[in-house]
Amino acid sequence: MGRGETGPVVSKHDAVGSDARLSWLLAGVAGMVGAVAFLHSAGYFVTFMTGNTERAVVSWFKVSDTQKVAGAGALAAIALIAAFIVGVSAASYCRRRFWKHHPHGPTVLTTAGLLIAAAVDFVFHGFDDSEVRFVPVLIITAAIGALNTSFVKNGEVSVPLSYVTGTLVKFGQGVERHATGGGTVFDWLGYALVYVGFLLGAAVGSTLSSFLSGPQVILAAGLLCGATAVVTFVHSDRKAILG
């Protein structure tokens, strides 16, 4: 990917190639898990660290008599942020140390996290419990943090799967370049499809949540992520190893 006076030049392969198509699917997984965790918990964000950061600050302030105890949501938000960072750091370490030839190894870590979270809820709260409890939510948040390291270029994350704000910023920049003649449709198409993937994942998670329990949908997401990990190895990582 080069850089000229008009901004970064996005190739067709970068926008809609095999890695790009995989990013749409993984963004869908993130959206699905985020929707389920939000709907089946006390409104916790496992993908939205901006929201958790806001909550970590504003929850200390009581602005009305009807508001809950000041600071009650702050500690939960801080714990979620910490879990997310742990997931990112653990996956980043594994990429450098163990997954040099397995670029999408984080999907394995995410799969393990989702399955462990579902198992914890099954064991302690039952198969049909509608709510996903806080400890499993922390595990899920770490798993989403790991998922966000799936695409790395020059040592930095190139496609932040659950960072929708950043995706929309890049989409807007690409639209501007294309509209003013400084770019092509591929400058924004890939970001648009990542966004659509996240939206569709959230819709699927919300639909499943209407007739399945929280732990059951987390299990389904874990199995989907596991299948994705197999696909990435067969169609992407295996080529890197053999090539």
Side-chain angles (χ1 to χ4, degrees):
M1 183 179 294
R3 181 177 296 274
E5 292 181 359
T6 57
V9 177
V10 180
S11 69
K12 180 178 179 180
H13 180 269
D14 287 340
V16 295
S18 59
D19 273 1
R21 293 193 295 271
L22 177 60
S23 73
W24 310 337
L25 178 59
L26 293 182
V29 172
M32 176 181 174
V33 173
V36 173
F38 183 80
L39 292 172
H40 285 282
S41 70
Y44 294 126
F45 300 125
V46 301
T47 61
F48 186 35
M49 293 307 112
T50 302
N52 283 326
T53 301
E54 292 277 9
R55 180 176 290 176
V57 176
V58 303
S59 294
W60 295 106
F61 299 89
K62 187 174 182 180
V63 296
S64 70
D65 292 336
T66 59
Q67 185 180 351
K68 294 182 179 180
V69 178
L75 295 180
I78 292 170
L80 290 168
I81 294 167
F84 189 87
I85 293 172
V86 167
V88 172
S89 298
S92 298
Y93 174 79
C94 289
R95 285 186 67 97
R96 286 193 303 102
R97 186 70 185 270
F98 307 113
W99 297 335
K100 292 181 180 179
H101 299 293
H102 191 58
H104 302 302
T107 55
V108 176
L109 205 56
T110 301
T111 299
L114 294 175
L115 296 180
I116 290 171
V120 169
D121 239 18
F122 287 159
V123 170
F124 291 101
H125 303 290
F127 187 75
D128 297 320
D129 188 31
S130 63
E131 185 174 350
V132 179
R133 309 292 172 158
F134 188 62
V135 171
V137 166
L138 285 177
I139 299 172
I140 293 167
T141 305
I144 293 297
L147 188 67
N148 275 274
T149 69
S150 295
F151 298 93
V152 173
K153 186 173 292 185
N154 299 323
E156 297 293 333
V157 171
S158 58
V159 183
L161 297 170
S162 70
Y163 181 38
V164 174
T165 302
T167 298
L168 290 178
V169 168
K170 291 179 179 295
F171 168 75
Q173 288 180 313
V175 168
E176 185 277 332
R177 287 195 298 273
H178 187 200
T180 57
T184 69
V185 64
F186 299 114
D187 281 45
W188 57 265
L189 181 61
Y191 300 116
L193 292 172
V194 169
Y195 182 64
V196 170
F198 190 91
L199 284 177
L200 291 177
V204 170
S206 299
T207 301
L208 293 177
S209 293
S210 66
F211 59 88
L212 294 177
S213 72
Q216 289 171 3
V217 187
I218 295 301
L219 174 61
L223 295 176
L224 174 61
C225 194
T228 303
V230 173
V231 171
T232 61
F233 176 76
V234 172
H235 292 288
S236 179
D237 297 345
R238 189 167 177 266
K239 294 178 182 178
I241 294 172
L242 298 179

